[in-house]
Amino acid sequence: MSSRRPTCGETMTTGARALKPRALVVRRHHLLVRISHWLTIPLLLGLILSGISIYWASPIYQHDPNPTTGSFDPFADAGIWICAHIPWLHHYADPANWVYNHGSLGPYMLAFALRFHWLCAYLFMLNGLVYLAGLCSGGGWRSLLPRLSDARGVLQMARYYLGLPYVILARRQPIHPNFRTKYNPLQRLAYFAVAVAGFLAVATGWAIHKPAQLSWLTGIFGGFDNARVWHFWLMGFFLVFVIPHVVLVIADGWDTLRSMITGWSKKFKRSEVSDHEL
Amino acid sequence: MSFKQIGAEEKSTRRSALLKKFQGAFSERPIEPIEVEPSILRRWTRRDLLLFGAGTLATLVVGGSQLPRNVLQRLGLDQGGTTGPENKWLLNQALRLDDDVSTALYSQHHLVPTYTKSQITPLKNNYNGATPDPAYIPGWRLTLDGLSSGLTVSLDIEALLARHQLHDQITRLVCVEGWSAIAWWSGLRFDDLLHAYPPVSQAKWAHIESSVNLDANGNPDPYFVSIDLLTAQHSQTLLATHLNGKPLPVEHGAPLRLLVPMKLGLKNIKAITRITYTKDEPPDYWAKRGYSRYDGI
């Protein structure tokens, strides 16, 4: 993407006046960061859908068989409860597998799910490297490193969001805390945590995949069974992250969403531009 | 001010300058706004949105092409009426890549973790179909084929136990389904059998069969696995005869089963009746059903 500094007195071929009103934009996201960001969506979706199908084959969380339903899996219990309580699902053919049918590739799909999971996993790892390359090339990594001084800012932002429902209901004006950096401290912590979670999800995945040849790695996570638990809850973390992320991106407006596609934004603070000490 | 004080001041300013430089390397750079004509911005936006849309479409098509048929049917996207084996090129490539990675990670000298007797966990009967009737056990014999002598050898359990030293190991059995169990196995090393009855020189594989295996309805469903000889020669690959100190019960593959802890449980074939050494990779029961061939962990 090239941009020219305007030179005064330039004439256009149409003969229009040389000086047109120009817009000021700032670069926000490197091309590789943008590409890897969007590719994460189908890859993570594929990993989770196939992952839950794999989970179905031997759930981590099981209880003694329920005397009525015979179910030993809390997800099966949830499916049975849902079908029993939602009117149009009363005659659903397979209540115990409702959750798996709607949140994964389905039950009885282990061989397929494993292959699909590994395809998505290798691409996910490649995607992670692309992301790191983009962070380094664009210098964006500096905006992601959390600092000790962030602690205060994180609490400020947390208090802001916790108070938001009241402020909206009371028709007061919400006052967003002001920060001079690209991301506010809570944002920075969240984005950094997602990157760390991605790395850990890959590490725990390998720990489960190769418990004999990479036994040292499996050991770091407390053994084979614990590595499975880590892997499962890291998936949960991604799910918990995605909802506020999407809501806040939409709430922030089209320019923010567009900046992750085009790489530039028209919104920036004077304080980001001027020289400052950090 | 004394010279000492001036020196101390210089030192502290130098230190804080270094600290500022260090912190500066990690701190955000001031951003530089660029002036662009709005028409150019609109052009860039249009171009990038089109590229984004094209990329989304391509991803949906490629990703969707690899989804299993019944998922597509459930989503109402299947053309309908397509039967027969599904050939998903990308998925097969991923499986091959993963098997190559497994093979590369395998090490002849790396030992799988071993445990103590106090760490033993219950081991469930994981026969996929019905458990075979123990009537086959008294007359059981192991047939060996593909030997360098050219003969076919038939051994009973007493011959195996008498001629070979039994080794103990307490290792983890990891099932492809995701569960695992720690059990105490005793048996002869596969490597010792290979030395006692050497395969033909070109052999690289062992085709191990269990003719007594049954399907869910109790009908014969011969089970068979392919094992590369390199893994068979590993010091922890056993032809197990005992579980937790007692002779193997029928649920765990009496009187002889394979114990190969550096592969998934499905390769640990129970109730072995025949071993044939081959040059090319022989067929494998679960590989035919869409699972990996190598199954290295």
Side-chain angles (χ1 to χ4, degrees):
Chain A
M1 186 162 64
S2 63
S3 62
R4 301 169 294 133
R5 295 270 164 186
T7 51
C8 281
E10 208 172 54
T11 50
M12 315 287 284
T13 47
T14 57
R17 278 183 312 138
L19 292 167
K20 283 192 158 168
R22 307 224 177 208
L24 280 175
V25 298
V26 295
R27 292 184 194 278
R28 283 296 188 198
H29 306 294
H30 189 274
L31 175 68
L32 296 179
V33 167
R34 285 179 271 141
I35 290 174
S36 58
H37 171 270
W38 292 111
L39 279 178
T40 303
I41 298 176
L43 289 176
L44 206 53
L45 193 64
L47 285 169
I48 293 175
L49 291 178
S50 55
I52 303 285
S53 276
I54 297 170
Y55 177 93
W56 168 88
S58 182
I60 304 174
Y61 296 107
Q62 297 186 21
H63 54 68
D64 286 333
N66 181 303
T68 349
T69 63
S71 157
F72 52 82
D73 173 10
F75 283 125
D77 299 336
I80 294 168
W81 189 93
I82 288 171
C83 290
H85 287 82
I86 299 195
W88 61 87
L89 290 175
H90 285 335
H91 297 293
Y92 188 78
D94 192 10
N97 284 320
W98 189 92
V99 170
Y100 292 105
N101 279 325
H102 292 82
S104 75
L105 294 180
Y108 309 103
M109 299 286 303
L110 184 58
F112 221 103
L114 284 168
R115 272 192 283 163
F116 202 85
H117 201 72
W118 294 331
L119 173 67
C120 294
Y122 283 112
L123 291 175
F124 185 76
M125 289 182 249
L126 205 63
N127 195 48
L129 292 176
V130 169
Y131 175 58
L132 285 177
L135 280 184
C136 292
S137 303
W141 62 276
R142 293 191 185 92
S143 306
L144 281 183
L145 289 179
R147 302 138 212 280
L148 279 174
S149 52
D150 278 350
R152 194 165 155 268
V154 168
L155 288 173
Q156 276 180 294
M157 289 304 303
R159 219 178 9 189
Y160 168 76
Y161 284 122
L162 287 172
L164 207 53
Y166 168 72
V167 163
I168 293 174
L169 285 171
R171 308 247 177 101
R172 297 243 185 100
Q173 187 69 347
I175 301 174
H176 193 288
N178 195 29
F179 297 97
R180 300 150 85 194
T181 46
K182 180 179 181 184
Y183 298 127
N184 69 59
L186 185 60
Q187 244 180 327
R188 184 158 46 240
L189 186 66
Y191 293 147
F192 184 75
V194 163
V196 169
F199 173 76
L200 285 178
V202 167
T204 51
W206 279 107
I208 301 170
H209 198 36
K210 299 279 166 272
Q213 301 304 342
L214 299 178
S215 49
W216 58 270
L217 181 62
T218 316
I220 290 175
F221 293 106
F224 182 75
D225 295 318
N226 279 333
R228 282 192 80 199
V229 175
W230 272 88
H231 200 67
F232 177 79
W233 285 104
L234 282 163
M235 172 208 69
F237 175 83
F238 287 120
L239 293 175
V240 162
F241 169 81
V242 154
I243 298 167
H245 177 61
V246 171
V247 166
L248 288 172
V249 164
I250 294 174
D252 218 26
W254 167 238
D255 179 275
T256 303
L257 179 56
R258 180 182 57 190
S259 72
M260 189 46 91
I261 298 175
T262 60
W264 47 263
S265 163
K266 285 187 188 169
K267 294 196 319 194
F268 56 90
K269 293 191 269 282
R270 295 261 64 184
S271 58
E272 280 183 278
V273 178
S274 59
D275 245 284
H276 62 280
E277 291 174 332
L278 247 171
Chain B
M1 264 197 289
S2 68
F3 282 122
K4 218 179 181 178
Q5 279 178 304
I6 294 171
E9 252 187 44
E10 280 183 3
K11 230 192 217 160
S12 77
T13 35
R14 226 185 305 143
R15 208 181 306 133
S16 63
L18 267 173
L19 192 63
K20 280 220 178 84
K21 210 173 170 192
F22 176 76
Q23 286 173 332
F26 284 85
S27 62
E28 284 186 8
R29 299 286 178 268
I31 51 175
E32 294 162 14
I34 310 165
E35 283 186 5
V36 190
E37 266 191 38
S39 60
I40 297 182
L41 278 183
R42 278 195 297 273
R43 200 188 323 146
W44 287 345
T45 307
R46 191 172 50 233
R47 172 200 66 183
D48 290 340
L49 284 177
L50 280 172
L51 283 172
F52 182 76
T56 309
L57 209 61
T59 308
L60 282 172
V61 167
V62 169
S65 75
Q66 301 302 297
L67 284 175
R69 201 175 296 130
N70 64 12
V71 171
L72 293 172
Q73 280 170 347
R74 257 187 287 137
L75 291 170
L77 289 169
D78 196 25
Q79 295 87 341
T82 37
T83 49
E86 300 198 65
N87 193 20
K88 307 285 192 187
W89 186 83
L90 265 179
L91 288 185
N92 293 338
Q93 293 302 105
L95 194 64
R96 267 185 48 195
L97 171 67
D98 195 63
D99 268 353
D100 288 343
V101 169
S102 298
T103 316
L105 279 176
Y106 172 78
S107 161
Q108 201 68 8
H109 307 290
H110 181 256
L111 296 178
V112 308
T114 54
Y115 301 84
T116 60
K117 292 211 173 91
S118 62
Q119 292 171 300
I120 293 173
T121 63
L123 180 63
K124 64 171 167 173
N125 174 353
N126 210 44
Y127 259 112
N128 195 44
T131 306
D133 189 310
Y136 73 88
I137 298 175
W140 176 91
R141 294 184 82 85
L142 173 68
T143 308
L144 299 177
D145 233 333
L147 300 172
S148 60
S149 61
L151 301 167
T152 299
V153 170
S154 178
L155 302 162
D156 61 18
I157 193 68
E158 285 78 28
L160 278 169
L161 288 170
R163 276 187 231 160
H164 304 278
Q165 192 192 349
L166 290 189
H167 296 266
D168 287 290
Q169 66 188 39
I170 306 175
T171 52
R172 188 185 287 274
L173 184 85
V174 179
C175 179
V176 72
E177 294 166 349
W179 57 270
S180 71
I182 296 171
W184 166 25
W185 304 96
S186 317
L188 57 142
R189 289 211 174 109
F190 203 131
D191 198 38
D192 291 344
L193 188 76
L194 287 168
H195 277 102
Y197 304 99
V200 287
S201 54
Q202 322 96 295
K204 289 218 156 36
W205 295 92
H207 181 53
I208 311 181
E209 299 170 77
S210 172
S211 57
V212 303
N213 195 56
L214 304 172
D215 66 15
N217 297 320
N219 300 320
D221 181 23
Y223 194 79
F224 46 96
V225 298
S226 66
I227 299 285
D228 56 297
L229 282 187
L230 212 55
T231 305
Q233 290 165 338
H234 193 281
S235 61
Q236 287 175 312
T237 302
L238 297 182
L239 288 161
T241 52
H242 292 74
L243 169 64
N244 293 334
K246 298 195 276 285
L248 286 175
V250 69
E251 307 86 61
H252 294 294
L256 190 80
R257 74 161 311 159
L258 183 63
L259 209 291
V260 53
M262 64 294 299
K263 285 193 190 288
L264 286 171
L266 44 73
K267 290 284 194 184
N268 290 249
I269 178 173
K270 296 187 276 280
I272 301 175
T273 52
R274 185 185 201 95
I275 303 178
T276 312
Y277 300 108
T278 62
K279 180 165 132 279
D280 299 316
E281 185 170 7
D284 181 277
Y285 185 95
W286 286 112
K288 273 169 44 156
R289 287 158 171 78
Y291 291 89
S292 143
R293 307 202 66 84
Y294 188 75
D295 292 312
I297 54 171

